[in-house]
C-alpha cells in the first residue's frame, strides 16, 4: 500500500506537467479542431528561453518563467499567423500536415541553432529537499520540487478557468469554439480570439517545459517530442477539446505511467501508454469526460 501511495505522489507531479501541455492541445483543438503537433516543440522553446534567462541574463527562475511564457506566447501566435491562418478554409488534412511540418521545422531548427548538447539548469534555482510524509500511518517521501510542480499546475489551471469563464476574452473563445460564423456575426474578432488561444496554450507549454527541465534536470532540442505525444494522449484520454478533460487525462496518464514503471518496468512505460491510447479510441473515442455525438445525415 505504501508503494502504491508513493507511486501516486510521483505520478501527480509527472501528470501535472502532462496536464499543462495537454491544455494547449485541447484549447487549440476546441476552437479550430486542429491537432497542433508543434505544441511539444513550443514547450522545448520555452524551456530554452528560461535557460538563457537564468544563465546569461542572471535572473532568477521566476523571471525566467515570466519571460519564457511571453516568448513562447509570441512564438505560438507567430506560428498560427504564418502557418495555420492561411489554411483556415482548407480541408482539415492540410493544417494537420502543416502542423507536422512545423514540428519537424522547430526540431531540426533547434538542433541547428542550439546544437545537440544536453544542458541543465544551474543548481540552486529551486530547493529540492526531500520531505517526509505520513499518510494513513505510512511513511512516504516527496520532494519540494514535486510539490512545487503540483502547486504551480493547480494555480495555472485556476487562472485558466477564470480566464475562460469570467473574462470577455474567455467568452469570445467559448463562442468561437461553439460556432465561429455566429461569433463573427456577433462582432467577435475570430482571428484575434484564435491567436489568443494559441498564446495562452503556448504560455502554458512554456511553464511545462521549465518544470520538465527542472524535473529531469536536462533540456535538449528534441525534448518536446515524447512529452508532447504523451500530452496528446492525455488530452485524448480525458476528452480532447475539453479543458477539464485535459487536466484529468494528464493526471491519470502521469499516475498510470509511474505505476507501470514502479510495478513492472520503465521499458514498458511508453509502449503501454500508446496501447492505452488505442484502447481508449476503441472503447470510448470521445474520452473519459467527452460525449459520443452521433453525426446526423
Amino acid at each position: 500500500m505504501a508503494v502504491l501511495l508513493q507511486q501516486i505522489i510521483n505520478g501527480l507531479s509527472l501528470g501535472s506537467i502532462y496536464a499543462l501541455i495537454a491544455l494547449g492541445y485541447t484549447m487549440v483543438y476546441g476552437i479550430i479542431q486542429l491537432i497542433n503537433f508543434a505544441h511539444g516543440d513550443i514547450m522545448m522553446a520555452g524551456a530554452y528561453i528560461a535557460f538563457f534567462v537564468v544563465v546569461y541574463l542572471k535572473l532568477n527562475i521566476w523571471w525566467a518563467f515570466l519571460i519564457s511564457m511571453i516568448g513562447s506566447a509570441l512564438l505560438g501566435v507567430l506560428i498560427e499567423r504564418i502557418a495555420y491562418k492561411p489554411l483556415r478554409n482548407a480541408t482539415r488534412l492540410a493544417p494537420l500536415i502543416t502542423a507536422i511540418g512545423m514540428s519537424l521545422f522547430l526540431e531540426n531548427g533547434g538542433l541547428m541553432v542550439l546544437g545537440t548538447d544536453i544542458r541543465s539548469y544551474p543548481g540552486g534555482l529551486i530547493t529540492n529537499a526531500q520531505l517526509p510524509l505520513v499518510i494513513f500511518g505510512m511513511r512516504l517521501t516527496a520532494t519540494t520540487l514535486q510539490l512545487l510542480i503540483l502547486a504551480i499546475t493547480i494555480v495555472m489551471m485556476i487562472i485558466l478557468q477564470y480566464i475562460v469563464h469570467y473574462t470577455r476574452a474567455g467568452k469570445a473563445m467559448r463562442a468561437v469554439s461553439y460556432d465561429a460564423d455566429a461569433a463573427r456575426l456577433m462582432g467577435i474578432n475570430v482571428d484575434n480570439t484564435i491567436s489568443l488561444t494559441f498564446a495562452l496554450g503556448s504560455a502554458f507549454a512554456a511553464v511545462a517545459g521549465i518544470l520538465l527541465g527542472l524535473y529531469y534536470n536536462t533540456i535538449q532540442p528534441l525534448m518536446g517530442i515524447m512529452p508532447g505525444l504523451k500530452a496528446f494522449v492525455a488530452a485524448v484520454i480525458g476528452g480532447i477539446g475539453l479543458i477539464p478533460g485535459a487536466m484529468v487525462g494528464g493526471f491519470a496518464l502521469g499516475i498510470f505511467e509511474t505505476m507501470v514503471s514502479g510495478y513492472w518496468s520503465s521499458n514498458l512505460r511508453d509502449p503501454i501508454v500508446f496501447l492505452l491510447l488505442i484502447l481508449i479510441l476503441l472503447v470510448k473515442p470521445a474520452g473519459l469526460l467527452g460525449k459520443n455525438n452521433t453525426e446526423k445525415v
Side-chain angles (χ1 to χ4, degrees):
M1 188 64 181
V3 175
L4 175 66
L5 289 176
Q6 186 64 60
Q7 294 302 331
I8 290 175
I9 291 173
N10 296 337
L12 283 175
S13 55
L14 182 60
S16 298
I17 297 172
Y18 289 151
L20 284 175
I21 309 171
L23 283 171
Y25 276 110
T26 210
M27 289 170 65
V28 169
Y29 184 85
I31 203 161
I32 56 173
Q33 285 74 54
L34 167 69
I35 298 172
N36 182 19
F37 282 112
H39 192 64
D41 303 298
I42 295 173
M43 181 202 74
M44 174 272 294
Y48 268 97
I49 292 172
F51 174 81
F52 292 126
V53 168
V54 296
V55 171
Y56 295 106
L57 299 183
K58 307 294 182 185
L59 298 178
N60 63 39
I61 190 65
W62 306 113
W63 277 107
F65 270 108
L66 180 61
I67 295 172
S68 176
M69 289 173 70
I70 294 172
S72 297
L74 292 175
L75 177 62
V77 172
L78 188 66
I79 290 172
E80 190 274 327
R81 290 293 170 119
I82 293 175
Y84 302 143
K85 184 182 176 183
L87 301 173
R88 199 86 83 210
N89 297 318
T91 61
R92 293 180 65 176
L93 185 60
L96 183 66
I97 294 173
T98 303
I100 295 172
M102 181 55 67
S103 173
L104 293 173
F105 172 77
L106 292 174
E107 288 161 12
N108 289 282
L111 285 172
M112 288 180 62
V113 174
L114 303 168
T116 57
D117 294 340
I118 295 175
R119 307 184 193 195
S120 302
Y121 289 115
L125 288 176
I126 298 288
T127 303
N128 193 18
Q130 283 203 337
L131 298 175
L133 300 175
V134 179
I135 300 177
F136 302 125
M138 289 172 282
R139 295 183 180 277
L140 308 171
T141 59
T143 65
T144 51
L145 178 59
Q146 286 178 315
L147 298 180
L148 180 69
I149 289 172
L150 185 59
I152 288 176
T153 301
I154 292 172
V155 169
M156 295 293 289
M157 289 176 177
I158 292 172
I159 292 172
L160 180 62
Q161 287 294 310
Y162 177 80
I163 292 173
V164 170
H165 292 284
Y166 299 104
T167 66
R168 288 173 63 88
K171 290 175 183 175
M173 289 166 61
R174 283 186 286 146
V176 173
S177 70
Y178 287 130
D179 191 326
D181 292 331
R184 188 177 286 108
L185 290 173
M186 296 299 291
I188 294 173
N189 189 322
V190 173
D191 287 335
N192 286 349
T193 303
I194 292 172
S195 295
L196 175 64
T197 305
F198 271 83
L200 278 175
S202 301
F204 275 67
V207 175
I210 299 169
L211 295 178
L212 194 68
L214 292 170
Y215 190 74
Y216 289 116
N217 201 27
T218 59
I219 61 171
Q220 44 97 3
L222 302 182
M223 65 179 285
I225 297 176
M226 190 54 73
L229 288 174
K230 288 183 179 177
F232 170 67
V233 173
V236 172
I237 290 173
I240 192 162
L242 302 172
I243 290 176
M247 300 176 191
V248 171
F251 285 123
L253 187 67
I255 293 171
F256 180 77
E257 197 175 304
T258 52
M259 290 290 179
V260 172
S261 298
Y263 285 102
W264 292 336
S265 168
S266 58
N267 293 329
L268 295 174
R269 184 179 57 184
D270 295 344
I272 289 182
V273 164
F274 293 109
L275 181 62
L276 179 65
L277 171 65
I278 295 171
L279 290 176
I280 287 289
L281 290 175
L282 288 174
V283 177
K284 200 170 188 314
L288 296 176
L289 302 186
K291 295 179 180 178
N292 292 317
N293 294 320
T294 304
E295 188 172 342
K296 296 179 180 179
V297 294

